[in-house]
Amino acid sequence: MTNNSSAIQRICILGGGTAGWMTAAALSKVFAEQSIQIELVESESIGTVSVGEATIPQIRAFNHLLGLDEMDFIRHTQGTFKLGIEFIDWYKPGTAYLHPFGPYGANMAGVPFHHYWLKHGCQRPLEDYCLEAMAARAGKFIPVLKRAGAPPRQVNYAFHFDAVAYADYLRKFAEQRGVKRSEGRMQNVVLDPVTGFVQALLMQNGQKIEADFFIDCSGFKGLIIEKALHSGFEDWSHWLPCDRAIAQPCAATEAPKPYTQSIAQAAGWQWRIPLQNRVGNGHVYSSHYVDDDEALRVLHNTMLGAPLAEPNLLRWQTGRRREPWKKNCVAIGLSAGFLEPLESTGIQLIQSAISRLLSLFPDKSFAAETIDTYNRYSSLEMEQIRDFIILHYKANERQDADFWRYCRTMKVPDSLKDKIQLYRQTGRIFRENNELFSEISWLSVLNGQGIFPESYHPLADQFPAAKLDAQLAMLQQQVADSVAEMPGHADFIAHNCQANSS
Ligand SMILES: Cc1cc2nc3c(=O)[nH]c(=O)nc-3n(C[C@H](O)[C@H](O)[C@H](O)COP(=O)(O)OP(=O)(O)OC[C@H]3O[C@@H](n4cnc5c(N)ncnc54)[C@H](O)[C@@H]3O)c2cc1C
């Protein structure tokens, strides 16, 4: 049993980017009634990556944990709503599909909807049966749909926001709950010569910051977890060859779309993230296939508005830290590894790391079983997301560039190969071990990337053709009618959460 003397009393978080402040905010909220001191160290002169502006719906659970008022949070972060991601030119030039956050149609007699859609000969696009997809296409948004004669329907959505404003918002939240912020540059990590545990961070100004438990949110460098503790890194760049991005915001030229856009380019892809006051743009590319000057030219050629800041070049190695928790240090955020931002999973990985840490929160004994469990689940989560992202690259029919030829012919992990094979042969998709991306997500991308099943679930044949016709028409009509009743995305923002200034 834990007694008071073995309880963690001091926590030090190194880094004040999205990871650092999300962690500080969550810990300050959860430990509000306990006398744990939390100190966050960050350096304004080093700064943050200042990207990470598109999220997935799970972030709403994080906001809920903190007890945030959603409209206040949107107002302070120049936020907009996100119903999914549009992938343009990914399968081949001239194609576009959505990965929406909501379901297609409805399961019938226990069989997923898409089997009926397959049986019906895919007569209408799959998107026509998804409320979130059709609302996105129509530029509509409402959090909860209330229609006469029907129960309220929670819409599945996430947010786009200004990354710097988000960290700032969480900083205020955490500081109000007692988190101490120390400005300064960390120079060295002091380790116990016997145990190898972290004793303190040594700052450039000579200050020594001691704690029982350290959370490394120092970004790609992993200053504690890697530079001091040598956790090791598993490189996945042979599967995900993009290793750089140039980010640059521009002026908005239209009302914000309620979805992110991802546009394939010759050696990678480009994002467009609409905020209230600007559009975030970035070109993610493989430095093996294109140089930085050409990558910037591509970004500028496709940017819709006037640039609002200098371009920000970011470099990384794709992969994961082998032991994100080692001794008395847990790495959260980019210090724990990075999968490129194609499916907006960076912030989600921070969030799930925080909740995993809370459920396995240690005492000063730092039991090996606790650490192993944390690391095992962290690794599984990243591998599952990795497979989903690889699918977008692997299943392409682009004939225009070496980068895409490489991706199409590369050997993929067996776990992904099996998943594609199962879908191709039977139309079936299995969500394994509660993985982050659901059957809907896998279906959207498998279908959007041109993978077509050879058969469908045999139980879908139980519906006679006429009944199936009527059922599909009814489901599609319901979606169309619901979307017609929703307000425009820009109108919803203007009436509920307009940011005060730019
Ligand atoms: C190109 C790109 C696009 C992305 N897009 C998305 C997206 O759309 N959605 C999404 O969910 N995620 C996205 N991500 C991931 C997301 O940006 C990160 O997960 C998130 O910003 C967390 O970063 P961080 O806090 O770990 O690191 P950083 O932002 O790098 O913060 C590191 C912190 O450590 C501090 N620090 C470093 N060294 C020292 C030192 N010596 N002394 C003191 N302090 C120090 C820095 O000052 C800073 O405060 C993207 C990432 C990249 C690279």
Side-chain angles (χ1 to χ4, degrees):
M1 292 294 285
T2 302
N3 58 37
N4 279 345
S5 64
S6 62
I8 300 282
Q9 282 148 351
R10 286 175 305 175
I11 299 174
C12 173
I13 300 169
L14 174 64
T18 303
W21 284 115
M22 281 179 79
T23 307
L27 297 186
S28 67
K29 171 79 179 180
V30 171
F31 295 136
E33 303 302 323
Q34 292 171 39
S35 55
I36 298 184
Q37 292 170 28
I38 304 170
E39 179 166 0
L40 183 145
V41 180
E42 67 173 319
S43 161
E44 259 172 38
S45 65
I46 295 175
T48 66
V49 285
S50 304
V51 284
E53 306 202 315
T55 59
I56 58 175
Q58 283 76 357
I59 193 170
R60 294 184 51 235
F62 185 74
N63 288 353
H64 188 71
L65 169 81
L66 299 189
L68 298 186
D69 172 341
E70 197 163 88
M71 296 304 140
D72 183 67
F73 149 74
I74 292 281
R75 218 175 278 124
H76 282 88
T77 58
Q78 297 289 347
T80 62
F81 297 89
K82 174 177 171 186
L83 295 166
I85 307 177
E86 183 184 28
F87 291 94
I88 301 168
D89 297 341
W90 270 82
Y91 169 42
K92 51 185 166 185
T95 61
Y97 68 93
L98 273 164
H99 166 196
F101 293 146
Y104 297 101
N107 289 0
M108 294 184 266
V111 176
F113 171 78
H114 72 276
H115 291 281
Y116 297 99
W117 174 74
L118 290 168
K119 173 184 161 67
H120 199 241
C122 315
Q123 291 179 21
R124 296 188 77 102
L126 194 51
E127 281 179 15
D128 286 9
Y129 301 96
C130 173
L131 177 69
E132 284 76 3
M134 296 312 282
R137 291 275 183 224
K140 302 280 192 93
F141 179 75
I142 197 159
V144 180
L145 184 68
K146 293 178 185 146
R147 301 191 67 210
R153 152 79 149 86
Q154 173 68 57
V155 174
N156 298 286
Y157 63 91
F159 313 103
H160 305 117
F161 49 62
D162 178 315
V164 175
Y166 182 57
D168 200 44
Y169 190 75
L170 294 180
R171 173 180 164 182
K172 287 197 183 83
F173 178 97
E175 286 186 318
Q176 276 163 10
R177 284 160 185 78
V179 172
K180 177 181 169 203
R181 174 187 180 276
S182 296
E183 167 64 33
R185 193 179 274 248
M186 190 213 63
Q187 209 160 38
N188 222 337
V189 179
V190 183
L191 300 182
D192 182 300
V194 178
T195 62
F197 274 50
V198 183
Q199 284 180 334
L201 305 184
L202 205 56
M203 305 299 288
Q204 206 170 38
N205 63 8
Q207 196 194 349
K208 203 172 175 189
I209 299 176
E210 295 179 324
D212 304 317
F213 191 29
F214 291 82
I215 304 184
D216 184 349
C217 298
S218 64
F220 286 126
K221 288 172 285 188
L223 290 179
I224 311 178
I225 198 71
E226 193 58 54
K227 296 280 184 295
L229 295 176
H230 310 294
S231 156
F233 193 82
E234 192 174 318
D235 183 352
W236 289 340
S237 47
H238 49 296
W239 286 317
L240 293 169
C242 289
D243 57 356
R244 288 191 192 179
I246 301 176
Q248 191 170 32
C250 75
T253 54
E254 58 182 5
K257 289 182 166 43
Y259 55 96
T260 308
Q261 286 181 301
S262 165
I263 305 141
Q265 299 292 355
W269 61 280
Q270 178 196 344
W271 77 74
R272 268 193 208 129
I273 300 179
L275 305 187
Q276 289 192 35
N277 61 339
R278 61 171 169 84
V279 176
N281 305 281
H283 182 190
V284 176
Y285 56 96
S286 165
S287 60
H288 187 72
Y289 292 93
V290 67
D291 65 29
D292 297 340
D293 291 341
E294 172 62 8
L296 183 61
R297 203 183 58 74
V298 169
L299 181 66
H300 284 169
N301 282 349
T302 49
M303 217 150 78
L304 299 178
L308 295 176
E310 290 301 310
N312 176 13
L313 173 64
L314 298 136
R315 299 182 171 86
W316 65 81
Q317 186 182 7
T318 297
R320 70 173 183 92
R321 204 66 69 196
R322 286 189 195 280
E323 292 173 276
W325 186 339
K326 189 162 183 189
K327 302 196 183 275
N328 61 336
C329 172
V330 171
I332 295 184
L334 298 173
S335 55
F338 184 55
L339 292 164
E340 60 145 278
L342 186 59
E343 284 283 352
S344 319
T345 44
I347 293 171
Q348 161 59 29
L349 283 166
I350 296 170
Q351 182 183 333
S352 61
I354 294 170
S355 55
R356 197 175 307 121
L357 174 60
L358 288 174
S359 47
L360 292 167
F361 200 77
D363 60 22
K364 285 184 198 161
S365 68
F366 292 99
E369 295 74 13
T370 301
I371 297 176
D372 290 348
T373 306
Y374 181 95
N375 287 339
R376 197 168 61 249
Y377 282 98
S378 304
S379 148
L380 180 65
E381 178 184 38
M382 275 197 97
E383 284 167 13
Q384 289 170 334
I385 297 174
R386 174 202 69 194
D387 282 4
F388 184 56
I389 298 178
I390 297 173
L391 170 65
H392 301 63
Y393 286 98
K394 172 73 181 169
N396 85 81
E397 289 299 331
R398 292 183 63 111
Q399 307 299 331
D400 57 329
D402 288 346
F403 171 80
W404 292 100
R405 269 187 286 279
Y406 168 78
C407 293
R408 189 167 51 249
T409 51
M410 71 184 165
K411 198 168 176 301
V412 298
D414 287 345
S415 42
L416 174 60
K417 202 173 89 191
D418 293 348
K419 223 160 184 155
I420 296 176
Q421 195 61 5
L422 178 70
Y423 180 71
R424 213 189 280 281
Q425 283 176 359
T426 68
R428 289 190 175 111
I429 300 163
F430 271 107
R431 187 179 197 168
E432 285 175 39
N433 293 318
N434 204 23
E435 67 182 300
L436 176 64
F437 287 104
S438 68
E439 293 88 340
I440 301 163
S441 298
W442 280 92
L443 173 64
S444 304
V445 178
L446 285 161
N447 183 55
Q449 294 289 146
I451 298 181
F452 200 73
E454 287 156 16
S455 64
Y456 52 80
H457 199 299
L459 287 180
D461 280 331
Q462 67 194 318
F463 269 66
K467 190 174 167 194
L468 192 57
D469 270 352
Q471 193 69 12
L472 263 63
M474 190 267 291
L475 288 167
Q476 185 271 322
Q477 194 58 48
Q478 264 178 6
V479 168
D481 293 346
S482 301
V483 171
E485 288 179 22
M486 290 167 80
H489 179 226
D491 287 343
F492 181 85
I493 291 172
H495 287 107
N496 296 281
C497 46
Q498 184 82 52
N500 295 331
S501 67
S502 60

